[in-house]
Amino acid sequence: MATHRAKMSRSAAADRITALPLELRARIVSYLPFCEVVQLSTLSQSWRHIHHHVPVVDLDLREFVAFEEHIFDEELAIPGIVDDHTLLGIRVALAHRAREGIGSKVETMRLAYSAGDSRVKRHADRLIALADAPKIRLDVSFASSGSWHLPKGWKVNLPPAARRLEIRSLDHLQPTPTIAGPGAAGLRELYLHDVTLDEWPRLPSLRSLRLSTVTATRPFTPGASCPLLEYLDIWDSTIKHPRVDILLPHLKSLDMDDVNIDGDVIVDAPELEVLQVNCSTGITVEYKSFTLRAPAMRCLHWFGQFAELVHIDVGKPGSVSGGTIQFTSNGKLEEMSYREMKDYRAQMMQMLHGLLPHLPPWIVADIARPCMTSKTRTVMDEALEEMVPEETLTCDLGRLMSRDV
């Protein structure tokens, strides 16, 4: 009897979901892989066309290759068996949906695949084109039949509707593809994760660029290829070039978080409003110099990053009205690389003088002193197996600039 009641309860719940509007049901099931959504179309007449309406198409093409992951001997490796029949069926479903008057537009395309297998990549390229989604996320590996293989001229052709592209390498720091196709000219957001940037993508309409765990091997000059950038975020990345030129006339926000640059950094951005530079690990490479020209800047957050020379030009005095400059020193921690506090203090004074250029350096020090705090605490050094002192020096820019200076 209890079993019968449970079955009735599940049936009633299913009926309630079926009674929901088609658009709402489509959004609910869009959390499922697209293959499972297609299977739902066999439930009943009410679900027959559900796969034509889901806003998200989520596919992992690696699931359609048999035996490949079980082959470890490269000399004996044979290509995995691709389930072309099922993949062609998915392509037909998307092609049917793309026709005018059939279903609704795809909003987001999520695709995982191995670009090292040309057979799978052909399916991936066609699926991307058929979905024609404004948002595209690609999780890409290059493993094929137990070995690593980079296809020659690896390219991602964006469909016309594309506006946001996210590429994540499933293998560590593999090359970024060439971004082409009819959608490249209209792309507005690009996010690259765990890739090697051998050349800058030429994206004339790009407004937002995020780089995470990226290694750039060519000169870092985003303004030459993406002149309309407004937001640039670089996290946990390495730039292998002695000079970085961020010359962007429309840039509004720049975030550099644990960025290794063994050389000079130049930021020239007349519309920059917010700058954040952060060294949270304590092991980021020290910059030889950091030059900033940002007459529209309002907020500066700088944590821990050391530069031998800092030159700041923010236009009129007091234009920066908020933010924080903070340094932490602990020379005994084996796993960290800290400067002595006197070096950090000298850098802070350079930065404050750039924010208040109308005042002599000794006056700046006197005015800033009430807005600066120094705290000392003890932390455990696991290598030495003892507690060691750690000092943090902070300047509250909001408080400083609110004074009559």
Side-chain angles (χ1 to χ4, degrees):
M1 188 70 175
T3 303
H4 178 70
R5 289 198 194 97
K7 289 182 178 179
M8 292 292 291
S9 177
R10 287 194 295 269
S11 177
D15 288 341
R16 285 196 292 270
I17 294 176
T18 301
L20 293 173
L22 176 59
E23 182 180 351
L24 181 55
R25 279 187 287 141
R27 290 202 172 272
I28 291 173
V29 301
S30 67
Y31 290 96
L32 298 173
F34 188 66
C35 291
E36 295 183 18
V37 176
V38 173
Q39 292 173 1
L40 288 175
S41 65
T42 63
L43 285 177
S44 66
Q45 186 67 25
S46 299
W47 290 87
R48 183 177 177 183
H49 299 296
I50 190 68
H51 57 294
H52 291 154
H53 296 270
V54 286
V56 178
V57 173
D58 190 344
L59 286 164
D60 188 340
L61 302 191
R62 297 168 300 176
E63 297 176 356
F64 299 90
V65 182
F67 308 123
E68 184 176 53
E69 62 184 30
H70 302 294
I71 300 172
F72 301 100
D73 189 335
E74 194 169 326
E75 293 182 358
L76 300 177
I78 60 174
I81 301 173
V82 179
D83 187 353
D84 290 305
H85 179 74
T86 302
L87 288 174
L88 286 171
I90 296 173
R91 286 168 52 176
V92 169
L94 284 177
H96 185 61
R97 176 176 179 170
R99 295 171 188 167
E100 186 175 355
I102 302 296
S104 59
K105 293 288 186 180
V106 178
E107 297 176 8
T108 302
M109 176 75 165
R110 299 188 191 127
L111 197 61
Y113 65 100
S114 172
D117 190 325
S118 59
R119 303 164 303 165
V120 174
K121 187 178 183 302
R122 280 194 294 270
H123 284 293
D125 292 342
R126 189 60 186 147
L127 289 167
I128 293 170
L130 289 169
D132 194 18
K135 299 178 182 179
I136 301 172
R137 170 173 167 171
L138 305 178
D139 295 320
V140 184
S141 70
F142 298 94
S144 178
S145 302
S147 63
W148 183 89
H149 170 67
L150 176 64
K152 293 183 179 179
W154 183 43
K155 181 185 297 185
V156 171
N157 287 312
L158 297 181
R163 294 296 178 267
R164 186 183 192 276
L165 174 63
E166 180 177 347
I167 299 177
R168 293 173 175 263
S169 172
L170 300 178
D171 307 309
H172 184 59
L173 292 178
Q174 299 306 332
T176 304
T178 299
I179 299 172
L187 194 68
R188 297 179 68 88
E189 299 179 53
L190 176 62
Y191 177 28
L192 301 176
H193 177 75
D194 216 7
V195 300
T196 297
L197 195 60
D198 290 324
E199 62 180 55
W200 276 97
R202 295 192 173 277
L203 303 169
S205 294
L206 200 68
R207 299 297 196 276
S208 176
L209 175 62
R210 294 184 177 182
L211 307 175
S212 175
T213 323
V214 166
T215 295
T217 60
R218 294 291 181 89
F220 196 88
T221 55
S225 302
C226 310
L228 298 184
L229 270 184
E230 297 178 2
Y231 304 94
L232 176 59
D233 300 328
I234 314 172
W235 305 322
D236 193 23
S237 296
T238 298
I239 300 175
K240 295 183 176 181
H241 201 267
R243 179 183 170 105
V244 171
D245 289 295
I246 301 176
L247 312 178
L248 291 164
H250 303 287
L251 190 67
K252 296 179 180 178
S253 174
L254 173 60
D255 185 352
M256 299 175 62
D257 193 339
D258 292 323
V259 182
N260 288 287
I261 303 169
D262 188 8
D264 303 305
V265 181
I266 298 174
V267 179
D268 190 339
E271 294 187 12
L272 185 67
E273 297 176 357
V274 179
L275 171 64
Q276 178 159 316
V277 179
N278 185 24
C279 173
S280 62
T281 62
I283 57 175
T284 303
V285 173
E286 296 178 350
Y287 302 161
K288 292 182 179 178
S289 69
F290 191 96
T291 301
L292 171 68
R293 178 184 172 273
M297 196 166 70
R298 299 291 178 264
C299 189
L300 170 64
H301 294 282
W302 189 291
F303 299 96
Q305 181 64 55
F306 184 79
E308 295 179 12
L309 178 64
V310 178
H311 177 71
I312 294 179
D313 178 4
V314 292
K316 63 182 180 180
S319 60
V320 175
S321 57
T324 302
I325 301 175
Q326 185 178 89
F327 295 103
T328 298
S329 177
N330 187 320
K332 290 188 176 182
L333 284 177
E334 294 292 332
E335 69 274 17
M336 299 295 186
S337 176
Y338 288 113
R339 283 265 180 162
E340 294 183 18
M341 184 51 73
K342 65 178 182 179
D343 297 325
Y344 289 137
R345 190 180 296 271
Q347 178 178 330
M348 183 179 287
M349 288 300 106
Q350 285 185 42
M351 298 175 71
L352 294 178
H353 183 56
L355 298 176
L356 300 169
H358 63 302
L359 298 177
W362 59 90
I363 300 296
V364 173
D366 290 338
I367 292 176
R369 190 170 292 112
C371 305
M372 298 169 63
T373 57
S374 179
K375 295 182 179 180
T376 301
R377 63 171 186 166
T378 55
V379 296
M380 173 60 72
D381 186 324
E382 296 183 359
L384 298 175
E385 296 184 347
E386 64 180 54
M387 302 297 289
V388 296
E390 179 181 88
E391 182 181 0
T392 299
L393 179 66
T394 305
C395 181
D396 184 339
L397 296 181
R399 182 181 172 191
L400 173 61
M401 296 306 173
S402 65
R403 306 184 71 194
D404 186 12
V405 296

